[in-house]
Amino acid sequence: MVEARSVASLVDATLYFVSAGLGLVSAESDVPGYELAIGSEALAGALDAVGESTEGWWSSLTGGRPLGELLDRNRSARLLIALPVEYLRLLRGELRT
């Protein structure tokens, strides 16, 4: 996280994190402690039990398209995404549009 903050500062960018439990979160936000990771067996089992995908989970969690809304507010913005593949799958629907 130190590296991400350093790079964001260097390029004068706003830093956000993709959270499996909270959605798109500003690095400046206070967040509660929780134990949920996209690659976890607990989440995979829960999603399978209700017939939901990780992409569907993200949509339900965020109520829409938070990345798109962020970019809509600043049309000249550039977006750099660095995530493990499990988290990229969360955003698959948003990244298609």
Side-chain angles (χ1 to χ4, degrees):
M1 187 160 88
V2 172
E3 293 89 358
R5 286 185 188 277
S6 294
V7 171
S9 177
L10 183 68
V11 298
D12 194 29
T14 304
L15 181 62
Y16 289 86
F17 294 99
V18 172
S19 165
L22 300 172
L24 188 64
V25 180
S26 166
E28 304 306 315
S29 297
D30 289 327
V31 296
Y34 68 94
E35 293 184 31
L36 180 65
I38 285 302
S40 71
E41 290 182 27
L43 179 59
L47 292 175
D48 285 345
V50 296
E52 188 64 85
S53 65
T54 54
E55 188 177 329
W57 167 261
W58 179 255
S59 181
S60 296
L61 176 67
T62 62
R65 33 183 294 279
L67 289 175
E69 292 167 12
L70 197 63
L71 292 172
D72 285 345
R73 289 194 299 265
N74 185 357
R75 294 299 213 168
S76 64
R78 293 188 180 162
L79 180 66
L80 171 65
I81 299 173
L83 294 169
V85 69
E86 293 87 359
Y87 282 80
L88 283 171
R89 286 188 187 116
L90 271 177
L91 306 176
R92 189 179 333 197
E94 275 202 78
L95 296 176
R96 284 188 195 127
T97 59

